[in-house]
Amino acid sequence: MIALAVIFAFLLAALGLGLRARRGRDMDLEQWSVGGRGFGTVFVFLLLAGEIYTTFTFLGASGWAYGKGAPAYYILCYASLAYVLSYWLLPAVWRYAKQHRLISQSDFFVAKFNSPLLGALVALVGVVAMVPYLVLQLKGLGIIVSISSDGRISSHWAVVLGTVALTLYVTISGIHGSAWTSVLKDVVILAIVLILGIYLPMHYFGGVGEMFHAVDKAHPQLLTLPSSGMSASWFASTVLLSAVGFYMWPHNFSASYSAQNERVFRRNAIFMPLYQLILLFVFFVGFTAILVVPGLKGADADLSLLRITTATFPSWFVGIVGGAGLLTALVPGSLLLMTSATCLAKNVYRLARPHTSEQHIGRLAQLLVPALALVSLYFTFNGGSSIVSLLLMGYALVTQLFPALLASLAPRQFVTKEGAAAGIVVGVTTVAVVTLSGATVGSLLPGLPQAVKDLNVGVIALVLNTVAMVGISAVTRTASPAPATTAALRPEPEATAGTG
């Protein structure tokens, strides 16, 4: 009961922070979705860098270390590369978004290519990709609360209660609630991850080095990449796919609009790769659990961190771990719900009714939050897949937006709206067909070299996407008016940096 009480205390704290964030603000669409473009370094850091600390951190990273071994290292690599990319990418996106008063990711594509239809396509791709990501958060929330409470709350009820709380404070406070709750979340989860990652190897093996020696002795193949399957080529292609896709998630992309100025991104890009190193301690927990709580198979490997925690620590500490896990679902979940609702209202609904006022669009976006929450609940209760598998599927989808985005930032835009749309459709269709059929590159083309067969299908889709985009653009460019040089890469005077 102590653990359960602690978990509920965290839930009430998150709700209180979320609801309090609204006070004193006229919550129009710009305030609700991008915080009035007034967030400083700290809030932007927590919304973007803190995005890696989700239920994925608690369950997926430790679960893959437990069940897959060395292939889990890709999780440590990709965000660090994405943060380096953000140094150049996000200031350009922010400048253009501020100049044109953009709200959603889809707005960026509408403005760049002068095509509301392309904006609607981007919105739909983003929402479809965000549903499995939101399901990931809800699945993780259910697992964390159920196990941490020693089964006193079932995973189903935990998911339902968490979704109600999530829907409530997203609808009322928007991104302000997410930002304030992320402060509590990151402080708590960083402390928990460091404690678990240092204490558990010391407690059971005498240190991290001794832990790795014991794992290597018991499972000698686990700490190296296999020669086929999740091999070096799979690893490299998955890191590449995830790195370029990191800011293609609509909630990450539009969260960048909330910054006060572009120096926020350059300052954050220096420190965010260091923040990623904390994930090492999550791996230490997963590797320790291999020998301490053996026998977890398949998707149950995601339980490794919680199983070893409940076997090692007293109830009050397990409650803190469960409360921290609850926050890792609520903060990214709130951003996902809010961004999905904004994209659908502003870029899909408005396509059908172009004269709808901004005030009406804002109200509609808030009304769509509970509807999207119900859809996510359905898939949470009627889906399989491990935590990491869900995330990889979403990444493969959103990454298909990257070639068109990159082309739109060129000083002379050579890609047409028809080319951008064709590339996205080809890429997304490739991912969808291969994923839904359960096929792999190797099963489709068995005669290829092993290194090619092991490539992540999202990278193959990205290549086909780029070929289609360039080819269709070449055909349609002569029939299109010459695009203006983008303003996104032109510097503008910077405002005084805020601190969040």
Side-chain angles (χ1 to χ4, degrees):
M1 288 300 292
I2 295 175
L4 189 58
V6 174
I7 292 170
F8 268 108
F10 273 91
L11 178 61
L12 292 175
L15 269 175
L17 282 172
L19 298 179
R20 189 180 184 280
R22 179 192 173 95
R23 295 170 74 179
R25 292 184 174 90
D26 179 19
M27 203 60 67
D28 59 13
L29 183 61
E30 187 174 42
Q31 278 288 349
W32 187 74
S33 60
V34 295
R37 306 178 204 276
F39 287 177
T41 302
V42 173
F43 275 168
V44 174
F45 181 91
L46 293 174
L47 287 173
L48 295 179
E51 173 61 22
I52 65 170
Y53 293 103
T54 67
T55 56
F56 172 75
T57 306
F58 258 47
L59 304 179
S62 58
W64 260 44
Y66 182 101
K68 307 286 187 184
Y73 299 149
Y74 99 88
I75 300 166
L76 188 65
C77 300
Y78 78 83
S80 298
L81 294 179
Y83 297 147
V84 173
L85 179 64
S86 75
Y87 188 92
W88 292 278
L89 177 66
L90 294 189
V93 168
W94 179 86
R95 284 195 296 269
Y96 192 81
K98 182 183 178 184
Q99 179 184 349
H100 294 276
R101 309 300 297 174
L102 308 181
I103 298 295
S104 67
Q105 179 192 50
S106 308
D107 284 348
F108 192 92
F109 287 83
V110 171
K112 280 289 189 179
F113 292 96
N114 191 27
S115 175
L117 275 172
L118 179 62
L121 173 64
V122 169
L124 291 173
V125 170
V127 171
V128 168
M130 284 190 289
V131 167
Y133 201 174
L134 186 54
V135 168
L136 182 156
Q137 307 308 324
L138 297 179
K139 277 178 173 285
L141 185 151
I143 292 169
I144 290 167
V145 173
S146 177
I147 293 180
S148 300
S149 66
D150 199 23
R152 288 183 175 89
I153 295 184
S154 70
S155 61
H156 274 51
W157 275 111
V159 169
V160 171
L161 291 173
T163 304
V164 169
L166 180 64
T167 303
L168 181 63
Y169 92 77
V170 170
T171 303
I172 294 173
S173 298
I175 198 171
H176 291 280
S178 303
W180 278 104
T181 308
S182 70
V183 176
L184 174 62
K185 180 206 76 167
D186 274 39
V187 169
V188 175
I189 195 173
L190 285 176
I192 291 295
V193 165
L194 288 172
I195 290 170
L196 294 179
I198 294 171
Y199 177 79
L200 289 172
M202 289 287 295
H203 177 69
Y204 285 106
F205 300 101
V208 173
E210 291 81 357
M211 177 269 291
F212 275 114
H213 282 303
V215 171
D216 188 49
K217 184 177 180 180
H219 304 280
Q221 305 302 318
L222 196 66
L223 300 180
T224 57
L225 293 172
S227 57
S228 62
M230 292 183 175
S231 62
S233 65
W234 173 89
F235 185 93
S237 62
T238 301
V239 168
L240 172 65
L241 180 79
S242 302
V244 301
F246 190 83
Y247 291 108
M248 292 302 97
W249 286 103
H251 62 295
N252 280 346
F253 195 96
S254 57
S256 69
Y257 296 172
S258 65
Q260 285 182 344
N261 57 72
E262 63 188 69
R263 285 189 297 179
V264 166
F265 305 115
R266 297 197 177 101
R267 197 178 295 127
N268 281 342
I270 296 170
F271 299 105
M272 287 193 293
L274 297 175
Y275 201 54
Q276 176 80 350
L277 288 176
I278 303 298
L279 283 178
L280 273 173
F281 296 91
V282 182
F283 293 151
F284 295 164
V285 176
F287 286 126
T288 301
I290 290 171
L291 300 179
V292 178
V293 286
L296 300 177
K297 303 294 184 183
D300 285 346
D302 292 334
L303 309 178
S304 59
L305 183 145
L306 295 174
R307 293 294 190 201
I308 193 171
T309 299
T310 55
T312 308
F313 294 99
S315 181
W316 64 268
F317 186 81
V318 173
I320 293 176
V321 173
L326 175 77
L327 295 178
T328 65
L330 291 182
V331 174
S334 65
L335 289 171
L336 290 163
L337 272 179
M338 180 186 62
T339 306
S340 298
T342 302
C343 287
L344 289 176
K346 200 166 190 305
N347 301 107
V348 178
Y349 178 81
R350 184 172 260 177
L351 182 64
R353 304 190 67 176
H355 300 297
T356 306
S357 69
E358 200 77 0
Q359 184 179 15
H360 181 76
I361 291 294
R363 286 198 302 268
L364 177 61
Q366 291 174 310
L367 290 173
L368 282 171
V369 168
L372 287 166
L374 287 173
V375 171
S376 299
L377 270 180
Y378 173 81
F379 285 109
T380 302
F381 294 146
N382 294 276
S385 298
S386 70
I387 297 291
V388 177
S389 298
L390 286 170
L391 187 70
L392 287 175
M393 181 173 68
Y395 262 110
L397 289 171
V398 295
T399 305
Q400 304 312 313
L401 304 178
F402 184 75
L405 171 73
L406 197 61
S408 76
L409 295 176
R412 291 182 59 83
Q413 190 169 312
F414 64 92
V415 170
T416 64
K417 60 186 178 183
E418 294 87 357
I424 293 170
V425 169
V426 168
V428 168
T429 301
T430 302
V431 171
V433 169
V434 174
T435 301
L436 293 176
S437 67
T440 64
V441 177
S443 64
L444 292 173
L445 300 167
L448 292 174
Q450 189 62 47
V452 179
K453 290 194 291 185
D454 290 342
L455 288 174
N456 189 306
V457 68
V459 172
I460 302 298
L462 207 57
V463 172
L464 297 176
N465 176 338
T466 304
V467 170
M469 180 183 73
V470 173
I472 298 299
S473 294
V475 172
T476 57
R477 191 180 303 124
T478 54
S480 302
T485 300
T486 178
L489 298 178
R490 292 202 300 266
E492 66 171 41
E494 295 177 345
T496 302
T499 61

